[in-house]
Amino acid sequence: MDEVIDIAVKLMLDMIFAGIAAVGFAAISHPPKGVLKFCALIAALGHVSRYCMINFMHCNLVVASLVGALVVGFLAILIAPRLKCPPETFSFPSLLPMIPGIYAYRTVQALAMTLTTDTEAEFEHWFYLFESNGLITFFVVVAMVIGQMLPILIFPRISFSSTK
């Protein structure tokens, strides 16, 4: 029973922090009233779906990010016509909490370290880390873009007429 409670707490915290981050990113663009709570909800559901795929289904980060972005994209398509906003108003801020910041940071760090090494072995080590982290960052971001864009391409009438 304690394990179930522990998992539920982790899922709720993941959703809360993703929602807070999405609201912060959305607030920068001054969206219409009522949009921020939906950005938080969409981000929370997208991020928790990615979290569950990684931790319970043992999917890799790229596949889980694709599914999380699909959840975000489909939810944005569903909510956009009701609030008369483009789906991107919801989906872009909701995706930002899923950007793999630690991998991007490690990519830049490894690149900087390759420039300051003295030996070939050190250079090869840091360049390997640069490649590895850079590829993960790149493919996660590409998967998120594809996942967010597919619902818009599948339902063009809904997505392009949501502001009318």
Side-chain angles (χ1 to χ4, degrees):
M1 186 66 177
D2 289 339
E3 186 177 323
V4 173
I5 293 172
D6 186 45
I7 291 171
V9 168
K10 286 181 182 178
L11 292 176
M12 289 304 295
L13 287 174
D14 185 71
M15 292 174 74
I16 289 168
F17 290 134
I20 290 170
V23 167
F25 289 124
I28 294 170
S29 60
H30 303 291
K33 289 182 180 179
V35 168
L36 293 179
K37 61 186 170 191
F38 289 104
C39 287
L41 176 68
I42 292 171
L45 294 173
H47 204 277
V48 81
S49 65
R50 182 179 87 158
Y51 180 88
C52 289
M53 290 197 65
I54 291 170
N55 292 299
F56 304 128
M57 300 175 73
H58 306 292
C59 289
N60 70 28
L61 182 60
V62 176
V63 172
S65 296
L66 174 67
V67 171
L70 281 168
V71 169
V72 166
F74 280 116
L75 289 173
I77 289 288
L78 289 173
I79 292 174
R82 288 171 179 76
L83 295 177
K84 300 198 182 305
C85 289
E88 294 83 5
T89 304
F90 308 101
S91 58
F92 292 158
S94 299
L95 285 176
L96 288 173
M98 287 197 285
I99 290 185
I102 193 67
Y103 289 102
Y105 172 79
R106 289 178 182 160
T107 300
V108 173
Q109 178 189 31
L111 178 61
M113 293 304 291
T114 59
L115 301 174
T116 62
T117 59
D118 295 330
T119 66
E120 186 175 345
E122 272 186 279
F123 177 84
E124 288 174 1
H125 169 74
W126 288 111
F127 195 77
Y128 166 77
L129 292 176
F130 167 70
E131 288 176 320
S132 175
N133 290 309
L135 286 173
I136 291 170
T137 302
F138 175 77
F139 283 113
V140 167
V141 171
V142 168
M144 288 171 35
V145 168
I146 291 170
Q148 186 269 328
M149 288 303 296
L150 277 178
I152 292 173
L153 296 174
I154 292 170
F155 300 109
R157 197 173 76 199
I158 295 171
S159 60
F160 294 120
S161 66
S162 62
T163 58
K164 293 181 181 178

